[in-house]
């Protein structure tokens, strides 16, 4: 069997699962797993069964632990409930805050073990899912895929604690989503900078999630569809229409799987919406927190998505889906419908002088106001709601 080892990097704890047959001469994939509020690496590993799968499939798993200790010189890195502060601007950019910390921990693990740099991925739940989304935009050259479970789009909230000490702006986005996910996609594209590339993305979200409304799952896909569209040289707003839709019942719960192919007919993104599931990890271990043992096994599905051949054509996907049991009727999802934008939304541009000007010319002007609501009270209420689930 493998080893689950404890490490510390600059006073930040993290754990690494090392598969049992590890040999220095061989390169191994690595998945960065980002826990949610009120969780820690041990709890998250148990709840997702990710270490069990890692032993079977022979990959490393890195579990950073959110720093729970107060540091007056690093308020953006502190959270009394162990939540990743995805909603603070300091944690949404390359070379700062959480993204910089995770990047440096990855580099330290690479110095200790032989990791395949072309097969590093990130996935997370809730606040961890939102941080995984941020990592895809801030360090796209590091990750070959990201998984977001019950998370939010890049830049969904930008809380300034002096004017919004309760982080009510973040809570509003969790409950209602963002006004314009395409704008989030534009900002993610800008954040990628010179390292920009198309990002493979898989999203899981429970339709009965009352902590992070399911609209956010759809908006994460819209955001990344827009970002990948711009990476491909697109101008304006992308048409977010899935290439394939499959509905079925798995492990006692119905679900709908949306598959999005890129311009080369490669599977680039997937959205899994699970019926009668709340703010939990689908198909998880009940011995861990915030898990639902029924429904699709998110752990295996996410890893298979990351590990599948890159050149998988639409025809092959159709053949795969044809082998499934007779599908259940499609689920009606409570999400904003995706519509083809009017020409007013996406005016034609003639040779914009910069990426920033392209974005500014194609997206609508928006001014978001966030209500004031103590960061500690916000997370206290959040944990209280979670415990009632």
């Amino acid at each position: 069997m493998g080893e689950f080892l404890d490490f510390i990097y600059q006073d930040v704890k993290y754990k690494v699962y090392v598969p049992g047959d590890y040999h220095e001469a061989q390169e191994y994939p690595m998945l960065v797993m980002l826990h949610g509020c009120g969780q820690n690496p041990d709890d998250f590993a148990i709840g997702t069964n990710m270490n069990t799968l890692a032993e079977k499939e022979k990959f490393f798993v890195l579990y950073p632990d959110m720093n729970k200790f107060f540091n007056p010189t690093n308020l953006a890195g502190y959270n009394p409930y162990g939540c990743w502060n995805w909603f603070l601007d300091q944690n949404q950019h390359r070379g700062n805050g959480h993204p910089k910390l995770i990047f440096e921990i990855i580099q330290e693990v690479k110095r200790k073990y032989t990791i395949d740099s072309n097969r590093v991925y990130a996935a997370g739940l809730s606040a961890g899912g939102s941080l995984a989304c941020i990592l895809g935009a801030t360090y796209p050259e590091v990750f070959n895929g990201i998984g977001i479970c019950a998370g939010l789009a890049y830049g969904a909230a930008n809380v300034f604690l002096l004017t919004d000490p309760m982080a009510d702006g973040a809570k509003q986005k969790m409950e209602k989503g963002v006004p314009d996910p395409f704008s989030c996609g534009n900002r993610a594209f800008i954040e990628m900078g010179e390292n920009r590339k198309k990002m493979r993305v898989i999203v899981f979200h429970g339709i009965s999630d009352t902590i992070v409304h399911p609209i956010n799952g759809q908006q994460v896909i819209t955001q990344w569809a827009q970002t990948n569209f711009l990476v491909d040289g697109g101008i304006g707003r992308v048409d977010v229409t899935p290439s394939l839709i499959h509905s079925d019942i798995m492990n006692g719960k119905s679900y709908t799987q949306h598959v999005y192919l890129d311009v080369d007919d490669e599977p680039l993104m997937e959205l899994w919406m699970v019926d009668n599931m709340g703010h939990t990890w689908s198909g998880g271990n009940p011995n861990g927190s915030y898990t639902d043992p029924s429904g699709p096994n998110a752990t295996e599905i996410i890893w298979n998505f990351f590990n599948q051949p890159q050149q998988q054509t639409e025809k092959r996907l159709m053949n795969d889906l044809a082998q499934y049991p007779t599908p259940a009727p499609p689920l009606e999802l409570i999400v904003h419908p995706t519509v083809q934008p009017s020409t007013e939304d996406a005016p034609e541009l003639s040779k914009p002088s910069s990426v920033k000007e392209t974005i500014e010319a194609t997206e609508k002007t928006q001014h978001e106001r966030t209500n004031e609501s103590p960061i500690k009270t916000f997370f206290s209420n959040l944990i209280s709601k979670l415990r009632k689930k």
Side-chain angles (χ1 to χ4, degrees), residues 27-103:
E27 290 188 333
Y28 291 77
M30 183 168 72
L31 173 58
V32 181
M33 287 286 283
L34 301 160
H35 64 74
C37 295
Q39 295 182 313
N40 58 47
D42 291 297
D43 176 36
F44 200 38
I46 292 172
T48 61
N49 288 319
M50 192 60 76
N51 290 354
T52 302
L53 182 63
E55 180 64 24
K56 176 184 176 183
E57 298 293 330
K58 306 306 176 187
F59 62 92
F60 276 66
V61 191
L62 164 61
Y63 298 86
D65 193 4
M66 173 57 185
N67 191 350
K68 301 180 178 65
F69 301 103
F70 178 73
N71 182 350
T73 65
N74 182 23
L75 294 179
Y78 163 73
N79 188 286
Y81 300 104
C83 304
W84 300 100
N85 294 325
W86 55 271
F87 49 85
L88 298 179
D89 183 71
Q90 299 97 313
N91 295 320
Q92 296 175 6
H93 302 290
R94 185 184 185 91
N96 289 295
H98 294 337
K100 180 175 182 286
L101 171 66
I102 303 302
F103 171 75

Side-chain angles (χ1 to χ4, degrees), residues 229-289:
F229 171 69
L230 295 175
V231 171
D232 262 335
I235 295 177
R237 292 189 174 189
V238 67
D239 177 15
V240 192
T241 301
S243 305
L244 299 168
I245 299 177
H246 176 74
S247 297
D248 209 335
I249 298 174
M250 187 181 297
N251 194 22
K253 285 192 188 302
S254 56
Y255 68 91
T256 299
Q257 174 194 10
H258 297 74
V259 179
Y260 302 80
L261 305 178
D262 67 6
V263 294
D264 298 318
D265 286 337
E266 295 178 19
L268 188 62
M269 302 189 302
E270 289 190 13
L271 169 64
W272 291 67
M273 302 295 290
V274 185
D275 197 19
N276 295 318
M277 188 178 82
H279 195 67
T280 59
W281 186 275
S282 181
N285 186 333
N287 292 324
S289 63

Side-chain angles (χ1 to χ4, degrees), residues 1-245:
M1 291 296 294
E3 298 180 289
F4 200 25
L5 305 176
D6 293 279
F7 296 98
I8 296 179
Y9 174 78
Q10 296 183 357
D11 298 327
V12 175
K13 297 179 180 179
Y14 69 93
K15 300 196 74 167
V16 176
Y17 184 81
V18 182
D21 72 340
Y22 172 69
H23 300 288
E24 290 184 359
Q26 177 182 343
E27 290 188 333
Y28 291 77
M30 183 168 72
L31 173 58
V32 181
M33 287 286 283
L34 301 160
H35 64 74
C37 295
Q39 295 182 313
N40 58 47
D42 291 297
D43 176 36
F44 200 38
I46 292 172
T48 61
N49 288 319
M50 192 60 76
N51 290 354
T52 302
L53 182 63
E55 180 64 24
K56 176 184 176 183
E57 298 293 330
K58 306 306 176 187
F59 62 92
F60 276 66
V61 191
L62 164 61
Y63 298 86
D65 193 4
M66 173 57 185
N67 191 350
K68 301 180 178 65
F69 301 103
F70 178 73
N71 182 350
T73 65
N74 182 23
L75 294 179
Y78 163 73
N79 188 286
Y81 300 104
C83 304
W84 300 100
N85 294 325
W86 55 271
F87 49 85
L88 298 179
D89 183 71
Q90 299 97 313
N91 295 320
Q92 296 175 6
H93 302 290
R94 185 184 185 91
N96 289 295
H98 294 337
K100 180 175 182 286
L101 171 66
I102 303 302
F103 171 75
E104 291 177 350
I105 292 177
I106 290 173
Q107 300 310 111
E108 179 167 273
V109 174
K110 287 183 176 180
R111 289 191 289 270
K112 297 176 185 291
Y113 300 99
T114 310
I115 303 299
D116 185 350
S117 295
N118 295 317
R119 300 179 67 193
V120 176
Y121 316 97
L125 172 66
S126 191
S130 299
L131 181 55
C133 189
I134 291 171
L135 290 176
T138 53
Y139 289 93
E141 79 282 12
V142 174
F143 301 97
N144 200 42
I146 55 174
I148 298 107
C149 297
L152 291 88
Y154 175 79
N158 187 356
V159 170
F160 187 51
L161 293 178
L162 290 180
T163 58
D164 187 4
M166 294 183 178
D168 195 51
K171 182 179 178 181
Q172 288 178 355
K173 300 306 188 301
M174 291 164 61
E175 294 177 345
K176 299 179 181 180
V178 300
D180 184 5
F182 294 95
S183 179
C184 293
N186 295 339
R187 292 197 295 271
F189 173 71
I190 292 175
E191 180 62 32
M192 282 183 163
E194 61 183 13
N195 297 301
R196 64 179 62 98
K197 72 173 185 181
K198 289 187 292 187
M199 185 61 59
R200 301 177 66 237
V201 179
I202 183 167
V203 175
F204 268 82
H205 216 112
I207 293 179
S208 300
D209 192 337
T210 59
I211 306 300
V212 178
H213 193 279
I215 182 62
N216 289 283
Q218 173 69 20
Q219 290 186 339
V220 170
I221 286 292
T222 300
Q223 177 249 293
W224 278 108
Q226 176 71 7
T227 302
N228 289 330
F229 171 69
L230 295 175
V231 171
D232 262 335
I235 295 177
R237 292 189 174 189
V238 67
D239 177 15
V240 192
T241 301
S243 305
L244 299 168
I245 299 177

